[in-house]
Each structure stands twice: as structure tokens, then as C-alpha cells.
Amino acid sequence: MFSILLVPGLIALAYIFRQVVVIGKSCKSNAKLHGKTVIITGSNTGIGKATAIEMAKRGARVILACRSKQRGEAALQDVKRESGSNKVVFMQLDLGSLKSVHSFAENFLKSEPRLDILINNAGLIAFGRTENGFGMMFGVNHLGHFLLTNLLLDRLKECGPSRVVNVSSGLHKLGKIGFDYLNTNKDLGLGTSLLDRFRIYGSSKLCNVLFTHELAKRLQETKVTCYSLHPGVIKTELNRNTNSILKIIIKIIGGLLMKNPTQGSQTTLYCALQEGIEHLSGCYFSNCTAKEVLAKAKDDATAKKLWEISQRFCNL
Ligand SMILES: NC(=O)c1ccc[n+]([C@@H]2O[C@H](COP(=O)([O-])OP(=O)(O)OC[C@H]3O[C@@H](n4cnc5c(N)ncnc54)[C@H](OP(=O)(O)O)[C@@H]3O)[C@@H](O)[C@H]2O)c1
Ligand SMILES: *[C@@H]1O[C@H](CO)[C@@H](O)[C@H](O)[C@H]1NC(C)=O
Ligand SMILES: *[C@@H]1O[C@H](CO)[C@@H](O)[C@H](O)[C@H]1NC(C)=O
């Protein structure tokens, strides 16, 4: 008797575990976005693409801001098809190049009258340097978005109530920012191993949380609100530059322990769309819920210092 029940019992348990612990809450807002414009960086794959499809379904004009013309245009067709909307545009943006960020912003401000939601989603785990000599993860995950957000801020203010959403990561808890090192090396740390990679990735994500904290303060008198978030653990291409053992492990356990991109886009959608969270501007979200962060992720002095060094790095 017992053995007959064992298999269905285990399947049921795994199902419940997956629903409650892995997938968690989803965005319940019914907000429609007709007449609104949304930019999503890194939206040719993964969570960004899932977010773009949902925004387009809700009627928004969606700008896919992606670095590769080929991958961006392929995604453009997919997003149009899956959302049934024609109001989707690809615009080239390489966050590893300050020049590219400038020309994207110029191009956008010239051709698009509105900006209602900016979603800073692009991110990567990789070593190397950007075009401007910054550490790759610092340069793309943080600095490129810093410049982009600043260049688009006036348009966001004009279109308020508007929002900025920063896709960070739970791994920001591992992060730390050594300003002396950053100042002389234009990077968040030195390393070669897989662990170093995650540590520096975590630091770049800590920058996102700190920036949201500082930006919220600077936007207090405006109708722009901002949020940072952890999307969960999602099966995407994010691990493309990590080692093959990790990739095999993810293949095996991913189906049970990781979200798919649509599930992974829920907290981003929540921060972008949920009515009545404006008073939580500057907060960090996970599982569609505002969460308390560690002291280092809301330290006023560090946030201000990071803002200033970023301004200097971007010649702002
Ligand atoms: N997956 C997870 O479990 C997880 C967990 C926590 C946080 N996150 C965060 O979620 C966000 C989305 O990641 P994902 O999981 O969807 O990963 P993904 O599938 O690898 O997608 C990342 C996107 O970022 C783009 N990108 C990378 N470098 C860029 C650059 N220099 N300029 C412009 N775009 C660039 C990629 O473009 P290409 O395709 O051209 O490379 C791609 O579109 C990231 O910020 C990531 O840190 C993910
Ligand atoms: C997400 O929130 C729901 C409802 O509050 C809760 O039941 C679930 O355990 C949470 N999941 C995670 C992964 O935190
Ligand atoms: C998002 O993060 C970037 C880079 O860390 C920062 O420049 C920008 O101000 C942040 N925006 C919000 C709303 O947090």
C-alpha cells in the first residue's frame, strides 16, 4: 500500500515545493499600458524578453535595447509574434560602451516622445574589460545603466508618474565595494576563479541596490519612483560564461529548482506595474514583496560615494 503511494506522493511534494519555494508569487496587477513607452535593456533573451512580451501584451510601446543587431532583430520578431503587438522597436545599445549609451539615448530622445518605465535588466557574469577599460561586470551591470538612467532622467520626470526598475540579484549580499581599488583599477575586484566571478558579480549587483537607494533620494520631489529586485533563480543564458560542470548541474536540477523566464519576470513586472507601491521607492524586492536589506546595501555614505565616482567615470 505504502509503496503504491510513494511515487505519486513524491511527485505531489515536488510539485508543491516547486510552486511555493521556487516559483513563489506572481504579479497580479491588471495595469494596461496603452500610450505608454517602456525601455527594457538586454531584452533579446531570458527575463528581459519575457518582460518585453508581457509589456507589449498590455499595450505598451516597447523598446528592445540590445547590443547585438542580429539577436535583437530576431527577438523583435518573437516579441511581436508572441504578444500580437506591432508596437515593438529594436534600438541598438551596448552597455559596455559609454559612447553607445550616449548614442542610444540621443537616438531615443530624438525619435520617441515619451518614457514611462525604464527597466535596467541587462547583466552578465564575465571577466574582461569594457571598451572604456572598466571591469566588465562593473561596466555593464552598473556603470552603463548609471549613465543610461541619468541621460533619460529628464524625460522620465516629464512623463511622471514614471518608474525605473533595476534588476539586481540576491547575490548582492556577497558584494563589497572597495573604493580605493575601484578608483585605481576601474574594477570591483581581481580574480580568475569561479568564486571570484560570483563575488565580483555580487559586488556589481550591490551597486544596483545602492544606486536605487541614492536615486530614490534624489528623486524625492519628482514623480519618478525606483525599485531594485532579485528575480529568483532562473534558467536563462546567464551562466553561458561559467564552467561546464556548473552548466551540467543546472541542466539536471534546473527543471525542478529554477524558474522559467516568464516566472522569473514576475517581480520585475510587479515593480514596474503594481499600483500603490510608490511609497516604497528605493526599496529592494524579491518574490513580489519589499524586503529588508543588509546595512551595506542601504548605507547612505557608500551610496553617495558610488554615485560620485560613477559620475566621474562617465564624465557627467
Ligand atoms: N537568471 C538568474 O537566475 C538571475 C538571478 C538573479 C539576477 N539575475 C539578473 O537578471 C538579469 C537578466 O538576466 P537573465 O538571467 O535573463 O540572463 P541572460 O539570459 O543572459 O540575459 C542577459 C541579457 O543582457 C544582455 N547584455 C549583456 N551584456 C550586455 C551589454 N554590454 N549591453 C547590452 N546588453 C547586454 C544580453 O545580451 P546578449 O544576448 O547579446 O549577450 C542578454 O540580453 C541580469 O541583470 C541578471 O544579473 C538573473
Ligand atoms: C513567496 O511568497 C508567498 C506568499 O507570501 C509564500 O507562500 C512563498 O513561500 C514565498 N516564496 C519564496 C520563495 O519566498
Ligand atoms: C539602477 O542601477 C544603476 C546602476 O547601478 C543606477 O545608475 C541607477 O540609478 C539605478 N536606478 C534605479 C532606479 O535604481
Side-chain angles (χ1 to χ4, degrees), residues 41-50 65-69 71-72 92-97 100-101 120-125 130 136 139-141 145 166-171 201 204-205 208 229-241 258-259 261 264 268:
T41 68
S43 40
N44 55 279
T45 183
I47 316 174
K49 185 175 173 187
C66 313
R67 64 173 159 179
S68 149
K69 188 161 190 291
R71 285 164 69 79
Q92 211 267 335
L93 167 66
D94 181 353
L95 289 155
S97 155
S100 169
V101 177
N120 289 325
N121 164 83
L124 81 180
I125 303 180
T130 69
M136 189 61 88
V140 172
N141 299 356
H145 282 129
N166 266 342
V167 182
S168 178
S169 165
L171 286 174
Y201 172 75
S204 77
K205 292 294 173 180
N208 295 148
L229 66 101
H230 170 57
V233 181
I234 306 125
K235 221 171 164 179
T236 65
E237 295 179 47
L238 190 62
N239 69 343
R240 64 181 106 169
N241 301 315
M258 296 169 92
K259 304 186 195 189
T268 300

Side-chain angles (χ1 to χ4, degrees), residues 68-89:
S68 149
K69 188 161 190 291
Q70 199 194 348
R71 285 164 69 79
E73 277 170 356
L76 178 67
Q77 298 314 319
D78 295 348
V79 174
K80 280 185 176 171
R81 195 185 55 247
E82 285 178 44
S83 65
S85 165
N86 266 325
K87 292 182 286 178
V88 190
V89 183

Side-chain angles (χ1 to χ4, degrees), residues 19-25 259 286-289 291:
Q19 290 302 320
V20 175
V21 180
V22 178
I23 299 175
K25 282 194 343 187
K259 304 186 195 189
S286 170
N287 192 23
C288 296
T289 313
K291 293 276 156 73

Side-chain angles (χ1 to χ4, degrees), residues 230-304:
H230 170 57
V233 181
I234 306 125
K235 221 171 164 179
T236 65
E237 295 179 47
L238 190 62
N239 69 343
R240 64 181 106 169
N241 301 315
T242 60
N243 73 29
S244 41
I245 297 173
L246 191 66
K247 283 184 194 151
I248 293 169
I249 296 174
I250 288 175
K251 253 213 179 89
I252 297 169
I253 62 169
L256 176 65
L257 295 181
M258 296 169 92
K259 304 186 195 189
N260 67 33
T262 305
Q263 293 155 352
S265 66
Q266 295 306 312
T267 303
T268 300
L269 291 167
Y270 181 90
C271 290
L273 302 175
Q274 186 62 50
E275 297 82 358
I277 61 167
E278 288 79 4
H279 65 289
L280 297 171
S281 184
C283 290
Y284 169 83
F285 290 72
S286 170
N287 192 23
C288 296
T289 313
K291 293 276 156 73
E292 211 25 72
V293 292
L294 302 174
K296 70 176 172 187
K298 56 176 177 188
D299 183 71
D300 293 326
T302 315
K304 183 154 180 287

Side-chain angles (χ1 to χ4, degrees), residues 120 141-143 145-147 149-150 164-166 204 207-208 211-213 215 225-228 307:
N120 289 325
N141 299 356
H142 167 70
L143 202 60
H145 282 129
F146 170 81
L147 180 59
T149 307
N150 275 287
V164 186
V165 177
N166 266 342
S204 77
C207 291
N208 295 148
F211 248 107
T212 307
H213 183 75
L215 187 68
T225 54
C226 58
Y227 313 88
S228 66
W307 186 282

